[in-house]
Amino acid sequence: MSEGMLMDDRLASDRIATVAGATPFQLLFDFLRISGYQSRRHEPGVLDFTFGDPHDPPSEAYVEILRESLIPQHELWFAYNLGDAKAIEAATDSLRRHLDIPFETDDVHLTTGGFTAISTALKIVGDPGDEVVYSLPPWFLYEPLVLEAGLVPVKVSIDRETLDLDLEAIAAAITPRTRIVIVNSPNNPTGRIYPPATLERLATILDEASERNGRRIFLISDEAYNRIVFDGARFRSPVEFYPWSFLAYSYGKTLLSPGERIGYLALPPTMPGREVFRDAIEAAQIAGGWLFPNVSMQYALPRLETLAFDIPLFQRKRDVMVAALREIGYRVTVPEGTFYLFPESPLTDDAAFAQALDREGVLVLPGGMFETPGFFRISLTATMETIEASLPRFAAAFRAAGVPAAR
């Protein structure tokens, strides 16, 4: 039978078509492929505040660690490796130090970044049709990850005034099909760190709903920025308050190297029956296409753990930018962590305002890409020189929007 005579001539599966058609994916594809961003960002004089890519050269120490990890020490140096023991020990030790929770090495599973840690957790507890609740604004790839796992995304808004979780909205969104709730703290893009009182109430909601449904609801704690906190604050992990939790972490943020993929999925020691998940996690990683980091990154990890993120520098960037934007007239909350700002757009149409900034030679991400219209995101991975050069341009775009300046 010729191809033209086929009754069904679809080439891609319905599942992948659904993933690719997800609103966040479409907005991201449009931005990367249609908007001209890829060429625009390289034009002389254009200031790029879009993604969390590094704008300064990597440190010599970082490069040297990676270089040394590529030198073979024995014949099996580049063989299959489910998780290098020294790397897992280093990751576990850092978890214990940073969170003051006695994680065990058997419960820390190295992944190709936090991305696949989240994907793995979704698949080992979620069955097709199960619902996954998360708050808007989200990291914009939650929906594609949920759909790819055969699950159903259920979205609720945060409290737009406090930027805190709307616990009543989360409780109302839970149904008998709810299996997973995702929490991202410190939050990308708002920079909000959810306080212990909020996390305690969330744990109660999940416990009560699990009892009511006769089926355990799990929590995935996306903690890619848990070491990037400001003003001497202590980060409190959601896994501290709710035992049935998975912790997803990525080193790409603290090392400012998102293209070098390494992270982990960790189970807290309070997780009941967590032994069941150890083999399940590895099975999902293998079946998913070998979702373990390249061995060179695993060998490098113990030494990479010794490199510190420059908190004072990024806090200074935050303070300079927040103060200047507020003086211009922007409404912006001071982020408690991450390296992002999430100001309100002076125009109701945040995409139109992002275009106005583009005309001034400043590139940002509109809030619509985070399913939260009326805001825009600024990445502080830009250099301090870029930040200072941008301020007159942010002021010009604000004036062009026709909004009265701050007094």
Side-chain angles (χ1 to χ4, degrees):
M1 182 181 293
S2 69
E3 192 170 313
M5 295 174 63
L6 291 174
M7 295 294 291
D8 184 349
D9 61 356
R10 291 172 302 169
L11 299 180
S13 71
D14 286 342
R15 179 174 59 88
I16 291 302
T18 299
V19 172
T23 299
F25 244 1
Q26 286 299 305
L27 292 172
L28 182 61
F29 284 157
D30 288 349
F31 185 79
L32 293 176
R33 296 176 178 174
I34 299 174
S35 70
Y37 164 76
Q38 296 287 17
S39 58
R40 184 88 169 108
R41 70 188 301 200
H42 297 294
E43 292 178 13
V46 171
L47 308 179
D48 186 6
F49 292 92
T50 52
F51 297 100
D53 288 327
H55 287 238
D56 286 307
S59 70
E60 292 182 8
Y62 178 78
V63 174
E64 183 59 28
I65 290 170
L66 296 191
R67 182 182 294 117
E68 290 185 2
S69 74
L70 290 169
I71 301 173
Q73 303 297 312
H74 49 72
E75 72 279 8
L76 294 177
W77 193 250
F78 298 120
Y80 287 112
N81 195 329
L82 301 181
D84 181 72
K86 292 182 180 178
I88 292 173
E89 184 177 358
T92 306
D93 285 345
S94 73
L95 264 176
R96 293 169 179 158
R97 289 195 310 273
H98 285 98
L99 301 184
D100 196 24
I101 298 173
F103 285 88
E104 298 180 10
T105 54
D106 286 343
D107 297 319
V108 177
H109 302 261
L110 300 180
T111 61
T112 44
F115 208 136
T116 55
I118 296 170
S119 176
T120 299
L122 289 170
K123 291 175 180 176
I124 64 171
V125 295
D127 287 313
D130 282 350
E131 295 173 350
V132 180
V133 178
Y134 57 86
S135 296
L136 308 181
W139 178 51
F140 41 60
L141 291 180
Y142 285 154
E143 182 173 350
L145 282 175
V146 169
L147 292 172
E148 191 277 333
L151 309 177
V152 179
V154 177
K155 309 169 188 179
V156 301
S157 179
I158 59 169
D159 184 319
R160 289 171 67 110
E161 291 298 320
T162 66
L163 303 184
D164 207 350
L165 294 175
D166 187 334
L167 296 176
E168 291 184 4
I170 291 174
I174 293 174
T175 75
R177 294 299 303 169
T178 302
R179 185 62 163 170
I180 299 163
V181 173
I182 301 176
V183 172
N184 175 210
S185 180
N187 180 266
N188 168 18
T190 68
R192 176 69 166 152
I193 297 175
Y194 302 128
T198 295
L199 300 176
E200 288 173 351
R201 292 198 300 274
L202 176 63
T204 299
I205 288 170
L206 299 185
D207 262 332
E208 292 176 349
S210 297
E211 181 70 22
R212 185 170 62 250
N213 292 345
R215 187 168 184 255
R216 176 53 56 186
I217 297 173
F218 290 90
L219 185 146
I220 297 177
S221 182
D222 178 4
E223 300 186 16
Y225 302 90
N226 69 12
R227 304 184 195 182
I228 306 177
V229 298
F230 303 124
D231 304 310
R234 179 193 168 196
F235 172 76
R236 301 290 293 274
S237 171
V239 308
E240 181 182 343
F241 301 90
Y242 189 66
W244 290 272
S245 297
F246 298 88
L247 189 158
Y249 181 74
S250 170
Y251 286 92
K253 310 305 180 184
T254 47
L255 295 174
L256 290 175
S257 56
E260 294 293 329
R261 308 297 296 164
I262 188 165
Y264 52 73
L265 180 66
L267 307 174
T270 51
M271 166 82 89
R274 68 190 187 282
E275 297 83 3
V276 173
F277 294 120
R278 292 171 180 167
D279 289 343
I281 290 171
E282 289 189 352
Q285 288 182 270
I286 294 171
W290 200 260
L291 306 180
F292 303 94
N294 290 337
V295 290
S296 58
M297 292 302 295
Q298 297 188 41
Y299 299 143
L301 187 57
R303 291 183 62 194
L304 292 176
E305 274 281 4
T306 67
L307 302 180
F309 185 84
D310 195 341
I311 294 291
L313 171 61
F314 277 78
Q315 184 167 320
R316 189 160 67 252
K317 290 181 181 180
R318 177 202 67 173
D319 292 345
V320 167
M321 184 65 99
V322 168
L325 290 178
R326 285 179 168 177
E327 185 174 355
I328 292 167
Y330 289 91
R331 293 184 61 184
V332 54
T333 299
V334 179
E336 299 161 299
T338 77
F339 39 62
Y340 304 111
L341 302 182
F342 202 52
E344 293 186 27
S345 169
L347 298 177
T348 303
D349 186 342
D350 53 279
F353 186 68
Q355 292 171 358
L357 282 169
D358 190 334
R359 290 192 290 272
E360 298 293 337
V362 174
L363 305 181
V364 299
L365 293 182
M369 289 187 67
F370 303 89
E371 300 181 77
T372 307
F375 292 80
F376 63 97
R377 194 187 76 171
I378 296 170
S379 174
L380 296 177
T381 53
T383 65
M384 184 63 81
E385 292 75 16
T386 296
I387 289 172
E388 291 172 346
S390 75
L391 299 179
R393 305 187 191 190
F394 276 106
F398 191 89
R399 290 193 300 270
V403 181
R407 293 178 181 273

